[in-house]
Amino acid sequence: MIISPPLSIKTTVTILLSTTPALARVIDGKAISAQVLDEVREEVLVLAGQQIYPALAVLLVGEDPASEVYVRNKLLRAKDVGIRSLEYRLPETASQAQVLELIAQLNADATVNGILVQLPLPVHIDEGAVIHAIDPIKDVDGFHRENVGGLVQGIEVLTPCTPSGCMRLLHETCGDLSGLHAVVIGRSNIVGKPMATLLLQANCSVSVVHSRSVDAPALCRLADIVVAAVGRPKLIDASWLKPGAVVIDVGINRITDEGGNHLVGDVDYASARTVARAITPVPGGVGPMTIAYLLKNTLIASQLQRAAQAR
């Protein structure tokens, strides 16, 4: 009897690998800002029960179209959360003395908790003089030198709205930031410097990249967190990023290309999404957070003023 060897059975398994890289999660600034506004609204209701009504005064000098839009949005959001808003308009020809006189009146008005001067001001007015004329405890933009110094020292002060909003986005996305390496691109007084300070306070290792930095992309590739605030459209692309980095794009740049006239950030969004773990879009990322934290600062200002009066 002839016994045939067993048949050899080969099974071929084909594994299909996608050539499309996973895209970064979108950090929804609109949704998170809505949470912040809900928090503010709840606190305003509590204060109303105590016969306390926070108020924000907004001063606009001239008729800059972009400033008109910003002021209108701020006033609408204030009304939505129950903060009393006061709008003051001066003509383009208003003198610096007239602006300073109005600020002095608002400083002296105990019913006004926050003062916001919409920038930019006309060229004949010294922005620094106007900003530093605002009572630091009513400076809801957080630009006064006393607030800037207090922030560096870790004292409770009014903090610039955009960096504060960025920090909320990062905490919502990453949780505890301790030990992470953050790179801030840009060193402006409004965003870059206070952003770096807040990240230090959150126990990050922080690097600031600017126009004089040597091999900026290489420095950024070391970062777990990248905050772009440099004002150059689509400067940062995938080649600047470490895989898995979290990207906060503060830039708002209006460009015209084959797709027409539209807003873009400092980050090349389509490119960066192929490498980053999470990223903010433009628009719809950092922008809504800035207004939300302006109103949160108005509440904080109200609390600081009551504490000062109690002392």
Side-chain angles (χ1 to χ4, degrees), residues 182-260:
V183 168
V184 179
I185 309 174
R187 53 179 170 175
S188 71
N189 292 331
I190 293 175
V191 179
K193 291 176 183 176
M195 188 76 232
T197 302
L198 289 172
L199 287 163
L200 279 172
Q201 291 179 0
N203 300 313
C204 291
S205 298
V206 181
S207 302
V208 178
V209 170
H210 48 80
S211 59
R212 300 297 179 88
S213 295
V214 177
D215 201 353
L219 294 172
C220 288
R221 283 193 293 271
L222 301 174
D224 304 300
I225 296 168
V226 173
V227 180
V230 70
R232 292 181 58 185
K234 298 187 178 183
L235 173 68
I236 296 96
D237 62 16
S239 69
W240 289 55
L241 303 176
K242 179 172 79 173
V246 174
V247 180
I248 305 295
D249 189 353
V250 182
I252 302 178
N253 309 284
R254 187 170 295 278
I255 66 169
T256 302
D257 56 20
E258 62 274 7

Side-chain angles (χ1 to χ4, degrees), residues 46-119:
V46 171
L47 292 175
Q50 303 169 22
Q51 305 298 302
I52 298 170
Y53 305 98
L56 171 66
V58 180
L59 171 58
L60 176 64
V61 183
E63 298 179 351
D64 178 74
S67 293
E68 294 267 2
V69 172
Y70 294 146
V71 166
R72 182 166 62 249
N73 287 340
K74 290 167 183 175
L75 295 174
L76 285 172
R77 294 288 81 75
K79 182 178 180 181
D80 287 345
V81 300
I83 288 178
R84 189 165 61 95
S85 59
L86 307 167
E87 184 179 4
Y88 296 86
R89 289 175 175 262
L90 293 176
E92 183 85 17
T93 55
S95 68
Q96 181 168 311
Q98 289 175 305
V99 176
L100 294 177
E101 181 182 359
L102 177 54
I103 289 173
Q105 293 172 6
L106 295 173
N107 283 339
D109 188 343
T111 67
V112 173
N113 303 109
I115 301 172
L116 166 71
V117 177
Q118 183 63 47
L119 302 179

Side-chain angles (χ1 to χ4, degrees), residues 14-52:
T14 302
I15 301 175
L16 297 177
L17 297 177
S18 173
T19 58
T20 303
L23 296 179
R25 177 165 71 86
V26 178
I27 302 173
D28 190 344
K30 290 182 179 179
I32 297 173
S33 69
Q35 295 174 17
V36 176
L37 292 173
D38 284 343
E39 295 164 7
V40 172
R41 189 178 293 107
E42 290 176 8
E43 292 187 54
V44 169
L45 286 173
V46 171
L47 292 175
Q50 303 169 22
Q51 305 298 302
I52 298 170

